[in-house]
Amino acid sequence: MKILKNKKININTQRLLGYIQKESLQVIRDPSSIVIAFLLPIILMIIFGAVSLDIDNIKIGLVLEDKSPPARELASYYQGTRYFTVYMSDYRKALEDAMWESKIRGVVVIPQDFSKKFYQGIPASIQVLADGSEANTANFVLNFSEGITSLWLKEKEKEKETETGVFNKGLINLDSHVRFNPELKSDYVVLPGAIAIIMSLIGTLLTALVVAREWERGTMESAMATPIRINEIILGKVIPYFFLGLGSMLLCFLITTLFFGVPFRGSFFILIFATSIFLLTALGQGLIISTAARSQFVSSQLALMIGFLPALILSGFVFEIKSMPEFLQWAAYIVPARYFVSILQTSFIAGNISDVIVPNLVILILFALVLIWIPSLRVKKS
Amino acid sequence: MWNRLKALIIKELQIIWLDKKSRYALIIPPLIQIVILSYAATLEVKNISVAIYNQDVGWYSHEVIARIKGSPYFDKVYEVQNLAAVEEAINTQKVIIGLEFQSDFSRRMVAGESTTIQAILDGRKANSSQIVEGYFFQILQDFSKEIVRSQQKETQPSIITNFRAWFNPNLNFIWYTVPGLIAILCTVLVVSMASLSISREHEAGTFDQLLVAPITSWQILLGKSIPAVLIGIGETTLMILIAMAVFHVPFVGSIFLFYISLIVFIISLIGIGLFISSFSKTQQQSVLGAFIFTVPAILISGFVAPVEYIQDWLRWMSYLMPTTYFLVIIKSIFLKDISFVKIVAQIWPMMLISVFTLLIALFAFRRSLD
């Protein structure tokens, strides 16, 4: 009993160092690990930086059936905003066809009786058609269009007020201030979040593949036949990839702040600490996957499903967790990336808000402990 | 010759199919993903939490708050006692929007003067806070209009927007997320399957056996491709059935056209997979190569945001991805009943990609034969 216990705890430093050296050499000699640790982050950061969620320049068609001054003026409001790129046409059918072909996302029609009704003080109607197959954009077509008409109406009212000297009353204005990111730049949010995605890719996918390869080739069994202990094997595998991950984190950090100009207002020490903890959770997941799957194909599929996709979708990085159905909100609690994304976004653009950082960090540490502990159990059983 | 090809196809199918784990890895994840991700991958914002600091005791501010509570988008309303508490709730991400009503809000409304509500938004949620601000602005506008209407006898010029969303009249987000997801999951599945097919032989040492077998290199490529086409079609069909049965997404277009485009799409994906495979010595390299292709494909093919929002200097890359074209086709066929002529415009680029990548794969393969 005592021997068993000793066996569990005892780690031979020399053996471990030897194993780490072997693994590190393997990493260095196989360029694909270096590629995923350094090239993939560059590619991904650039893509995340280029895919903008800021909706502007939506292509729409505009039909002026009414050519009188008010209609033309309203049309110029549509043309003047950065939200729309407007294609004018007299043929409604042509624009509708363009919408069928997804060339434009909406059509605004100002009908013949527009100015007549407008002058008479009867509510004038305009038609807005949108391509519902892009539901999100369709929503914005409607919202922006309503924004433009109400802006134009306000302007018209002001003109009338200065003419007549009678002022209108009772309007509620909204004065909005955006904290941390006044221009609402989506890069500021997306790029820090992307770091979590890249870390989970590197941690989970790389370790899953590396360990699965040992099983597939049968070298895991040979390693187990040597005096080396299972804990040492696990540590030996985790440590080189851990440092590879940290290196790639630094690269991501530099790209985000220097190349894309995202501010960093938090503490760099906390960032590195949180990244280390998160990397441990990702590495743990990778180890669990590979010991369960033992084939590289299955491991890569599982790494994608358990590591990458939840980090992309259930972490609150692009998609709002609170808008999801309840069972997914619950599922999101067990996605470690969620806590890391929160720390990243806060550290980068908000600063050291300990009420956000401390609880998230504590949960991440718990995840790390559990996820590193499970694989050592699993391997021993087999 | 056909017998040999057939034997190779059967062998390939067996490799993937007979191993229980790899069979599950093939079938189960896409099915789970289509269900979970369809619900999750939406840019819609619901269940919004708001913090309100109301210094006004009058009717008007309470009416605005009541309307917020009644809105289907807002969920939790925290009424707090000072501005610092609003800031705190924003900082700790408890709420996404904070509102402040001045103490003279109702008095000014009664007097017919204009008033201002202060809103604080969380810039860490750039997209959502914009949408939330829009919802709240809409509530205020409706309220303002009602007040103006009740106070004034003289008619004001106004504009009514008649809005219609074609192809998806209720703007149901699921209808546009699900078809897109099918295209993405199909991309991930087929590319990772094809990219491993040759490097697996390399790693297992059976590549040399393949080389000395009495089959030509294009037969080997065909033997690798056909099983992947079959599995891809089967899996996509399953996902389409789920889309229709679970999510009630309408399928208004032609099934025949859909399958023609699907086959072209899958072949182009296999081309990319084999292209990656022919340059990889190990399975690990293949998987990483597949990732370097699929992750950008998810992001810039028009699934996360329409292609036209991608910055100009990167957009050309979207047009190198078959997924970009297939996304247009699958959304159009599900919701629009688009004609054959219009689909052809999306099919030929995929064919070009297939021919190009398959030729390179064949060339690389031949070279390793020499």
Side-chain angles (χ1 to χ4, degrees), chain A residues 270 343 346-347 350-362, chain B residues 88 91-92 124:
Chain A
I270 289 177
I343 294 175
T346 301
S347 289
N352 273 329
I353 300 177
S354 53
D355 285 347
V356 176
I357 289 174
V358 173
N360 283 314
L361 208 50
V362 169
Chain B
E88 172 81 11
N91 285 347
T92 56
R124 280 168 290 182

Side-chain angles (χ1 to χ4, degrees), chain A residues 30 32-33 35-36 40 43-44 46-53 55-56 58 96 99-102 105 114 118 121 123-139 142 146 150 152-153 157 160 168-181 184-185 189 201 205-206 209 213 216-217 292-293 296-298 300-301 304-305 308-309 313 316 319-320 322-325 327-329 342 345-346 349 353 355-356, chain B residues 21-22 25-26 29 32-33 36-37 39-47 49 87-88 91-94 105 109 112-131 133 136 138 140-141 143-144 148 152 154-168 171 173 176 188 192 196 203 283-285 287-288 291-292 295-296 298-300 305-306 308-311 313-314 331 335-338 342:
Chain A
D30 180 2
S32 61
S33 303
V35 165
I36 199 163
L40 193 68
I43 296 176
L44 281 178
I46 289 175
I47 287 174
F48 276 117
V51 181
S52 165
L53 291 172
I55 314 271
D56 47 19
I58 301 175
E96 287 180 356
M99 198 161 82
W100 270 90
E101 288 169 57
S102 310
R105 299 298 180 190
F114 179 79
F118 178 74
S125 56
I126 62 168
Q127 268 182 39
V128 176
L129 303 175
D131 180 354
S133 69
E134 286 288 346
N136 194 43
T137 310
N139 249 334
L142 172 65
E146 288 198 323
S150 82
W152 181 71
L153 278 177
E157 252 165 64
K160 203 175 143 197
N168 254 314
K169 310 152 181 177
L171 282 174
I172 308 173
N173 299 312
L174 185 61
D175 180 20
S176 300
H177 300 267
V178 183
R179 286 287 175 272
F180 319 125
N181 181 8
L184 282 171
K185 286 188 180 165
V189 178
L201 253 185
L205 183 69
L206 267 186
L209 284 177
R213 182 171 57 186
E216 216 171 64
R217 288 178 176 171
Q296 293 187 67
F297 171 67
V298 180
S300 69
Q301 293 297 307
L304 201 89
M305 187 174 138
F308 175 68
L309 283 173
I313 291 179
F319 306 110
E320 200 62 54
K322 275 191 169 175
S323 306
M324 296 172 190
F327 75 97
L328 283 179
Q329 294 191 29
S342 215
Q345 290 182 339
T346 301
I349 67 170
I353 300 177
D355 285 347
V356 176
Chain B
K21 277 180 187 161
S22 90
L26 214 56
I32 297 177
Q33 283 160 4
I36 290 184
L37 303 186
Y39 283 118
T42 167
L43 290 170
E44 219 174 356
V45 184
K46 290 185 293 195
N47 305 326
S49 299
E87 296 275 355
E88 172 81 11
N91 285 347
T92 56
Q93 299 184 314
K94 197 170 152 196
F105 185 78
M109 291 299 290
E113 293 163 32
S114 38
T115 50
T116 301
I117 297 174
Q118 305 280 336
I120 304 169
L121 297 156
D122 185 355
R124 280 168 290 182
K125 309 257 173 220
N127 192 53
S128 309
S129 57
Q130 246 169 313
I131 294 171
E133 190 194 10
F136 182 60
Q138 196 63 49
L140 286 186
Q141 263 208 327
F143 187 45
S144 294
V148 170
Q152 288 173 327
E154 191 203 338
T155 45
Q156 284 295 121
S158 61
I159 295 178
I160 297 169
T161 303
N162 293 321
F163 178 68
R164 249 179 338 127
W166 278 13
F167 321 119
N168 182 2
L171 284 183
F173 273 70
Y176 106 109
V188 173
S192 56
L196 280 173
E203 210 164 308
Q283 291 191 58
Q284 189 181 353
Q285 288 174 358
V287 171
L288 300 184
F291 254 80
I292 289 183
V295 174
I298 294 172
L299 295 171
I300 64 173
E308 59 253 37
Y309 300 158
I310 295 165
Q311 289 181 17
W313 55 268
L314 195 80
K331 280 185 189 170
L335 299 173
K336 291 186 181 174
D337 188 17
I338 196 171
K342 285 169 184 167

Side-chain angles (χ1 to χ4, degrees), chain A residues 172-357:
Chain A
I172 308 173
N173 299 312
L174 185 61
D175 180 20
S176 300
H177 300 267
V178 183
R179 286 287 175 272
F180 319 125
N181 181 8
E183 289 164 62
L184 282 171
K185 286 188 180 165
S186 67
D187 315 8
Y188 278 28
V189 178
V190 169
L191 289 170
I195 294 178
I197 314 268
I198 292 166
M199 291 299 108
S200 67
L201 253 185
I202 293 173
T204 310
L205 183 69
L206 267 186
T207 31
L209 284 177
V210 168
V211 183
R213 182 171 57 186
E214 303 257 356
W215 285 113
E216 216 171 64
R217 288 178 176 171
T219 44
M220 191 58 114
E221 276 89 349
S222 357
M224 281 163 124
T226 66
I228 194 161
R229 304 258 152 71
I230 201 71
N231 285 336
E232 292 164 2
I233 294 184
I234 288 175
L235 274 178
K237 293 218 172 285
V238 164
I239 290 170
Y241 287 96
F242 176 80
F243 285 107
L244 202 63
L246 275 187
S248 120
M249 159 73 201
L250 285 177
L251 184 67
C252 291
F253 179 80
L254 292 178
I255 296 175
T256 310
T257 51
L258 297 182
F259 187 69
F260 286 105
V262 177
F264 182 76
R265 302 187 174 120
S267 134
F268 190 70
F269 171 75
I270 289 177
L271 181 73
I272 294 294
F273 183 66
T275 308
S276 311
I277 304 292
F278 180 71
L279 270 174
L280 290 180
T281 69
L283 294 165
Q285 285 182 55
L287 288 172
I288 294 173
I289 289 168
S290 57
T291 42
R294 299 195 181 183
S295 103
Q296 293 187 67
F297 171 67
V298 180
S299 291
S300 69
Q301 293 297 307
L302 284 178
L304 201 89
M305 187 174 138
I306 303 176
F308 175 68
L309 283 173
L312 184 67
I313 291 179
L314 291 177
S315 64
F317 144 74
V318 187
F319 306 110
E320 200 62 54
I321 295 174
K322 275 191 169 175
S323 306
M324 296 172 190
E326 208 157 322
F327 75 97
L328 283 179
Q329 294 191 29
W330 283 107
Y333 281 114
I334 56 164
V335 176
R338 170 207 183 134
Y339 306 98
F340 189 42
V341 164
S342 215
I343 294 175
L344 284 170
Q345 290 182 339
T346 301
S347 289
F348 269 88
I349 67 170
N352 273 329
I353 300 177
S354 53
D355 285 347
V356 176
I357 289 174

